[in-house]
Amino acid sequence: MTTAQSPITGLRYIALAMPNFDESLEFYTTLWGLEQVSAGDGVAYLGSPVDPAQYILRLRKAEAKRLDVVGLAAASRAEVDALGQRLSAAGVRIDRAPADLGTPGGGYGLRFFDCEGRLIEVSADVAPRKISGATQRGVPVNLGHVVFNTLTLEATKSFYETHLGLKLTDWLEDFMCFLRCNGAKHHILAIAKGPHVALNHVAYDMGGIDSQMRATGRLVRAGQKIVWGPGRHGAGDNTFSYFKDPAGNVCEFTAEMEGVDEANWKVRRWETKPEMQDQWGTGGLITDGMIPAQFNTPDTGLWTPAPV
Ligand SMILES: [Fe+2]
């Protein structure tokens, strides 16, 4: 059953852990276009240079690569508390009960595991950060969406619909579904069948195609290989350029995702035809690099709390 109103207002941050922390930090700050806003012992918080969201990516040095946390936003502390009560009553495994957060920007949040063991945080009241206000093109403005690989597509989709009120927007054949939160764009989360549970990719909204192409060119000039793109997807109508970070996670520059008319939306089923996956036909073949890259390596962090 899908609840009428989702308590989730958007994606807040993605936290990744990896052995090659320094190399990853260098990649995301010098090439990807994020700026370091706070640092601790082997932990770095990165934000957009042009948007006051406190941070959108966290990197942590660890022996094994893992997805640490997916951070989602709620509108208020009361929503966080109410969600905590509903999750507990439903038997969802809670990692941290609702409490003040000790991370940059503070706020109030809880953590729990989804049905496959990914660690999810939902928070509210995180303070914005001061930015210079200078215009910059070719840098991420915010997170766009995150995609998970799953072994249990129906159950995982159902978890996010039932417990977080996300709504199904579209299908790609029968192996990938796209979910949105309230009044939002086409998707903040997509879930795809994979050979193991893993992070499929993280997409950064560039605010426009010009910025996406400038950023894409910056990486190409630096010798980075485009995994897939640039192109424009069918589902979501968003543009894309996919790369791989030094830890082997796929990351995407994206822009122009379509909006959803909540009152009249009808779920569509897209096919894997090249002209539906890549409307412009400019991105190259998905089979060349994207499919193996997006499978990623099995997530070593399932059902395991993150130390930060
Ligand atoms: Fe994507």
Side-chain angles (χ1 to χ4, degrees), residues 26 35 40 42 125 131 140 209 216 251 280:
E26 173 84 7
E35 63 182 19
D125 267 4
I131 52 170
I209 295 176
T216 301
C251 40
W280 295 335

Side-chain angles (χ1 to χ4, degrees), residues 52 205 285:
D205 187 351
L285 293 176

Side-chain angles (χ1 to χ4, degrees), residues 40-144:
D41 189 16
V43 179
Y45 295 86
L46 310 180
S48 162
V50 295
D51 185 271
Q54 185 64 233
Y55 59 93
I56 59 176
L57 177 66
R58 189 186 83 196
L59 305 177
R60 181 177 66 85
K61 188 171 177 55
E63 277 179 28
K65 168 184 161 187
R66 65 168 281 187
L67 171 62
D68 261 355
V69 184
V70 173
L72 303 171
S76 67
R77 289 172 179 243
E79 289 277 12
V80 171
D81 281 334
L83 177 64
Q85 284 168 11
R86 288 199 303 274
L87 293 174
S88 295
V92 171
R93 190 169 140 193
I94 305 291
D95 172 46
R96 297 182 185 180
D100 288 332
L101 299 176
T103 36
Y108 185 76
L110 85 163
R111 285 186 184 176
F112 57 91
F113 294 99
D114 78 4
C115 59
E116 288 187 309
R118 300 175 196 85
L119 186 57
I120 311 297
E121 180 179 286
V122 176
S123 61
D125 267 4
V126 178
R129 174 174 50 91
K130 267 209 169 75
I131 52 170
S132 76
T135 305
Q136 270 193 65
R137 294 190 287 184
V139 296
V141 176
N142 211 333
L143 284 176

Side-chain angles (χ1 to χ4, degrees), residues 7-31:
I8 304 303
T9 57
L11 265 179
R12 199 161 79 72
Y13 73 96
I14 303 294
L16 305 171
M18 69 287 294
N20 54 345
F21 170 81
D22 293 338
E23 196 187 350
S24 299
L25 180 58
E26 173 84 7
F27 173 85
Y28 280 109
T29 51
T30 62
L31 283 181

